[in-house]
Amino acid sequence: MLQLYTHYRSVSAHRVRIALNYKGVSYKSMFTDLGNAAADRLTYLNLNPQGLVPALVVDESLVIAQSAAIMEYLEERYPERPLLPGDIEMRARIRSFSQIAVADTHPLNNLRVLRYLRDKMDVPWEKRRAWFEHWLHTGFVAMESILANNEDTGTYCFGDKPTLADVCLVPQVYLADKYDVDLSDYPTLRRIYRTCLTLAAFQAAAPETQPDQRSKDDA
Ligand SMILES: N[C@@H](CCC(=O)N[C@@H](CS)C(=O)NCC(=O)O)C(=O)O
């Protein structure tokens, strides 16, 4: 069985959990602590030298790091219930939209960047918060503009079934929502986000439904 190294708060792992669930692929969750425990970290670095989550262990010869690479692999290996549907132009549009979250928004706000600002650059909390919000809004403004002006926008980002675009949008909006970022300027993103959250694949991937989150609640 596939093993997914994950953490409930990880935006990148959240994407991969949605993709796995949407495709109906069984996997075992391997919980990490985002680098807080040194012993675990050394073991994990042997698996994924970058030390980030997620990582998907396919078998002893293949460990895939990077959520975009994992989701492309899942799409090719499990083409049923496609996340990249349509013709070559449509797939390019979906990939392009998805990368706004994966490549240009999330990397500026991930834990190691925010910790670096705090620990090495002495950036106070208010300024770190301003940084966090700035890069979220920069991504959301572009995403909203694309969807609000696109005739392919339907129930979901591109048409009437979820695609990779929705898989990448939802964890980003979830994060913003959790930190009370004002999303009032993004009605299309909010509508699609709410629709996605009615689907079992998205619900089962949500941070609050993950066993590592629940064990924290129990503690
Ligand atoms: N580009 C990577 C980013 C992975 C990433 O930054 N993961 C975060 C959690 S969302 C992480 O492991 N953070 C730990 C840290 O920053 O030390 C991907 O999409 O998989």
Side-chain angles (χ1 to χ4, degrees), residues 6-55:
T6 180
H7 185 279
Y8 73 97
R9 283 179 58 190
S10 163
V11 169
S12 315
H14 189 175
R15 290 176 203 130
V16 173
R17 294 194 301 261
I18 298 170
L20 284 160
N21 295 345
Y22 184 72
K23 286 180 173 290
V25 177
S26 304
Y27 67 97
K28 182 175 180 203
S29 293
M30 309 294 286
F31 300 110
T32 65
D33 71 349
L34 293 181
N36 286 324
D40 284 358
R41 182 149 185 89
L42 278 182
T43 313
Y44 188 57
L45 284 174
N46 284 329
L47 202 68
N48 175 11
Q50 220 185 347
L52 303 173
V53 291

Side-chain angles (χ1 to χ4, degrees), residues 4-18 30-35 44 48 51-55 66-67 70-71 106 109-112 167-168 170-172 174-175 178-179 205-208 210 212-213 216:
L4 178 70
Y5 280 79
T6 180
H7 185 279
Y8 73 97
R9 283 179 58 190
S10 163
V11 169
S12 315
H14 189 175
R15 290 176 203 130
V16 173
R17 294 194 301 261
I18 298 170
M30 309 294 286
F31 300 110
T32 65
D33 71 349
L34 293 181
Y44 188 57
N48 175 11
L52 303 173
V53 291
Q66 292 289 341
S67 60
I70 296 170
M71 293 186 292
H106 170 262
N109 278 345
N110 74 9
L111 195 57
R112 61 182 176 160
V167 170
C168 294
V170 164
Q172 213 61 63
Y174 179 96
L175 178 74
K178 182 172 164 35
Y179 285 94
E208 67 271 13
Q210 300 310 296
D212 51 342
Q213 163 64 44
K216 279 195 187 339

Side-chain angles (χ1 to χ4, degrees), residues 96-113:
S96 169
F97 180 91
S98 304
Q99 287 299 308
I100 297 174
V102 175
D104 291 340
T105 305
H106 170 262
L108 289 157
N109 278 345
N110 74 9
L111 195 57
R112 61 182 176 160
V113 169

Side-chain angles (χ1 to χ4, degrees), residues 31-211:
F31 300 110
T32 65
D33 71 349
L34 293 181
N36 286 324
D40 284 358
R41 182 149 185 89
L42 278 182
T43 313
Y44 188 57
L45 284 174
N46 284 329
L47 202 68
N48 175 11
Q50 220 185 347
L52 303 173
V53 291
L56 185 74
V57 180
V58 177
D59 56 34
E60 59 280 353
S61 66
L62 181 60
V63 179
I64 313 172
Q66 292 289 341
S67 60
I70 296 170
M71 293 186 292
E72 292 272 350
Y73 170 84
L74 294 174
E75 182 69 2
E76 290 181 14
R77 180 161 164 192
Y78 307 100
E80 306 81 25
R81 305 203 83 200
L83 287 169
L84 285 168
D87 57 18
I88 190 168
E89 284 86 9
M90 175 60 86
R91 293 200 296 276
R93 277 199 283 274
I94 294 170
R95 284 189 173 101
S96 169
F97 180 91
S98 304
Q99 287 299 308
I100 297 174
V102 175
D104 291 340
T105 305
H106 170 262
L108 289 157
N109 278 345
N110 74 9
L111 195 57
R112 61 182 176 160
V113 169
L114 297 173
R115 281 182 176 162
Y116 189 84
L117 292 174
R118 182 190 65 192
D119 299 340
K120 304 285 185 199
M121 309 294 278
D122 292 327
V123 177
W125 184 86
E126 307 79 56
K127 290 197 170 173
R128 281 185 276 126
R129 169 79 195 192
W131 167 286
F132 176 78
E133 291 206 23
H134 172 77
W135 295 116
L136 278 175
H137 284 304
T138 302
F140 288 153
V141 165
M143 290 168 128
E144 177 69 27
S145 167
I146 290 168
L147 296 184
N149 298 301
N150 183 355
E151 63 185 20
D152 294 323
T153 306
T155 308
Y156 298 97
C157 292
F158 291 85
D160 290 327
K161 287 185 179 159
T163 67
L164 192 66
D166 303 280
V167 170
C168 294
L169 172 67
V170 164
Q172 213 61 63
V173 176
Y174 179 96
L175 178 74
D177 197 34
K178 182 172 164 35
Y179 285 94
D180 295 323
V181 174
D182 180 7
L183 298 173
S184 53
D185 286 343
Y186 317 116
T188 318
L189 303 186
R190 284 189 285 117
R191 172 181 65 75
I192 293 171
Y193 175 70
R194 283 196 304 270
T195 306
C196 288
L197 293 192
T198 65
L199 302 179
F202 287 75
Q203 289 166 0
E208 67 271 13
T209 63
Q210 300 310 296

